[in-house]
Amino acid sequence: MADFLENMKELARANKKTIVLPEGEDQRTLDAAQAIIADGTADLVILGDPETISVEGASIINPASAEKHDEYAEKLAELRARKGMTMPQAQELMNDATYFGTMMVKMGDADGLVSGACHSTANTLRPALQILKTKPDTKIVSGFMVMCVPDCTYGENGTFIFADVGLNEYPDAEQLAEIAVSSAASWKALMQTDPHIAMLSYSTHGSAKSEHVEKVTRAFEHVREIAPELNCDGDLQLDAALDETVARIKAPTSSVAGKANILIFPNLDAGNIGYKLVQRLGKAQAYGPLLQGIAKPVNDLSRGCSATDIEAVVAITAVQAQLNE
């Protein structure tokens, strides 16, 4: 469990990146910032009032009076001109810390952004999609959790990716497949081992018949079409995905069953409930929701996060920024 986070921090220190934190009014953010600076995992820009924020070693910027306020506004107006954005509208948006922080990432003045401790996912995601856009060849942005379960022999020594847990409420088969492919890329980037992707259902290899099962099966088939190199299978029940004994009974021909380290949930209900069950009952560390599919690293936080959670997500974001070079 600790190995994953310590590995992220070690990688982050080796090639330090600048991460912007737009929520300078949140005490958890400030507590996390102090620890991040002390730990050396990232250089930080905190957005807020320099007269009330004191974090030694961090840059404190008030977006409304920032030196680059008008420069960023001009660029935003240019980027959104086809959507009818005017310069006065862009200048107003540059007073918003999340929009300002996202423009810092766009303009190369920061390498990534972490927000969401006191703002909704939409507040974090909207500027990212409007300004940074999606990665080339990516059709959907999705949210994943890195789950680290103590004393667990399943997955990668108890480490998993769960997706989608934060954004897409009822993805169709093609969207599920895209989420699986993005999750595999995230796994390779962060874990540097081979992904084993289970497309979850209440059915294993057609043991039940319904439109919901058929959606998962179609998603698996689409993964084989667009990324045939990936080790993926579905439909799989959770026990068949994780437990080798059950896998030999329910899915004896599967190369994923009993070995899954990426769990793709059929809808947001299942994903959100699933990760919170594992977090609360399994005493797992849950890092995220992390966003995948955006052109540059932007990550969301749960509004119930702790300062320690923010530290972890900043370290992960810094590693994502290294891989984005």
Side-chain angles (χ1 to χ4, degrees), residues 1 19 35 37 44 50 62 74 79 97 110 119 134 154 177 212 221 238 240 246 270 311 313 325:
M1 177 173 60
I19 307 300
I37 296 293
L44 294 181
N62 183 345
E74 289 175 7
L79 291 170
H119 292 91
T134 56
Y154 300 138
H212 304 293
E221 292 170 349
L238 182 66
V246 176
E311 290 179 59
V313 174
E325 291 178 331

Side-chain angles (χ1 to χ4, degrees), residues 73-285:
E74 289 175 7
K75 184 62 177 180
L76 179 59
E78 176 189 324
L79 291 170
R80 302 290 291 165
R82 291 186 178 181
K83 299 294 184 179
M85 182 169 288
T86 64
M87 185 60 182
Q89 289 172 329
Q91 288 178 318
E92 181 66 26
L93 283 176
M94 283 304 96
N95 295 332
D96 178 279
T98 309
Y99 270 92
F100 186 92
T102 306
M103 280 303 301
M104 289 191 71
V105 177
K106 176 68 177 179
M107 301 295 281
D109 294 323
D111 301 301
L113 178 145
V114 173
S115 185
C118 53
H119 292 91
S120 70
T121 295
N123 289 131
T124 301
L125 188 59
R126 188 181 301 110
L129 290 177
Q130 291 177 353
I131 295 169
L132 301 175
K133 311 292 186 183
T134 56
K135 287 183 177 179
D137 302 321
T138 299
K139 296 180 180 179
I140 187 171
V141 174
S142 55
F144 70 96
M145 301 292 297
V146 175
M147 305 295 297
C148 297
V149 187
D151 303 317
C152 177
T153 58
Y154 300 138
E156 187 84 9
N157 297 317
T159 299
F160 302 86
I161 277 180
F162 286 16
D164 184 345
V165 299
L167 292 182
N168 299 284
E169 194 168 10
Y170 293 109
D172 60 25
E174 184 172 318
Q175 290 170 327
L176 269 183
E178 293 284 346
I179 292 166
V181 172
S182 290
S183 298
S186 293
W187 179 273
K188 289 177 182 177
L190 297 176
M191 315 302 174
Q192 300 174 348
T193 61
D194 292 333
H196 293 77
I197 310 161
M199 311 294 289
L200 296 181
S201 175
Y202 65 88
S203 166
T204 294
H205 288 183
S207 62
K209 304 292 183 184
S210 78
E211 62 181 294
H212 304 293
V213 175
E214 290 172 5
K215 180 184 81 167
V216 174
T217 303
R218 291 197 308 274
F220 162 61
E221 292 170 349
H222 191 60
V223 171
R224 287 199 301 186
E225 291 172 4
I226 62 177
E229 74 283 0
L230 291 180
N231 199 6
C232 178
D233 197 10
D235 51 307
L236 287 174
Q237 291 166 289
L238 182 66
D239 56 354
L242 298 182
D243 191 299
E244 290 187 352
T245 301
V246 176
R248 284 194 292 270
I249 298 168
K250 292 187 174 183
T253 62
S254 175
S255 62
V256 170
K259 304 181 182 69
N261 48 33
I262 297 176
L263 304 181
I264 305 299
F265 291 84
N267 57 53
L268 191 55
D269 286 329
N272 191 272
I273 292 167
Y275 99 73
K276 288 180 178 177
L277 274 173
V278 174
Q279 181 183 29
R280 302 297 178 183
L281 300 185
K283 309 298 184 185
Q285 290 293 326

Side-chain angles (χ1 to χ4, degrees), residues 48-69:
D49 185 354
E51 294 187 3
T52 61
I53 297 172
S54 178
V55 177
E56 188 175 352
S59 298
I60 317 297
I61 296 175
N62 183 345
S65 58
E67 180 182 344
K68 293 192 175 182
H69 180 280

Side-chain angles (χ1 to χ4, degrees), residues 21-30 46-49 52-53 97 118-119:
L21 304 175
E23 297 172 314
E25 73 277 21
D26 184 89
Q27 187 59 48
R28 293 166 297 172
T29 298
L30 301 182
I46 302 172
L47 301 183
D49 185 354
T52 61
I53 297 172
C118 53
H119 292 91

